[in-house]
Amino acid sequence: MDLPDLGAHRHCQGLDHNGEMQDANFALTGSQQIGLDLKLSELLDLCLAEDERRAAGYDKRLLRPTFMPRMARLVRRFMR
C-alpha cells in the first residue's frame, strides 16, 4: 500500500516547504513588504506574475482561477 504524498498535501494547505503559512494577502501587503510606491499598472503586473509563480507548483490538470487574471490582463491592456 502506497502512502500519500504529505508534501503535496502541505502545499495545498498553503504551507511552504518549511511548514510555514504562505502570505495569503500578497496584494494587500506586497507594497509594504517591497517598500516601493507602485503604480496600478505595476501592481497588476506584479500580481499576475505572482499568480503564475504560485500556480506553477500545482498539477496542471487542476482547475485554476481564470476570471480575475483575465480581468487584470484586460485592464492592463488599456493602461499601456
Side-chain angles (χ1 to χ4, degrees):
M1 177 176 185
D2 292 308
L3 295 175
D5 181 8
L6 297 178
H9 179 68
R10 282 184 149 177
H11 188 71
C12 291
Q13 290 178 333
L15 301 175
D16 64 13
H17 296 290
N18 297 324
E20 296 176 12
M21 183 61 89
Q22 293 180 3
D23 183 12
N25 297 316
F26 174 77
L28 298 176
T29 62
S31 65
Q32 295 158 352
Q33 291 176 1
I34 297 170
L36 299 174
D37 185 27
L38 297 175
K39 298 177 187 173
L40 179 57
S41 59
E42 295 169 331
L43 178 61
L44 286 174
D45 290 342
L46 185 62
C47 288
L48 288 168
E50 180 67 7
D51 180 58
E52 283 295 318
R53 184 190 72 79
R54 288 182 179 215
Y58 292 98
D59 191 329
K60 300 280 186 200
R61 297 172 290 178
L62 294 173
L63 289 177
R64 297 172 186 239
T66 58
F67 180 75
M68 288 308 293
R70 284 181 184 166
M71 291 297 106
R73 286 185 189 95
L74 178 67
V75 167
R76 185 65 183 99
R77 188 178 308 159
F78 291 105
M79 298 179 84
R80 292 191 176 161

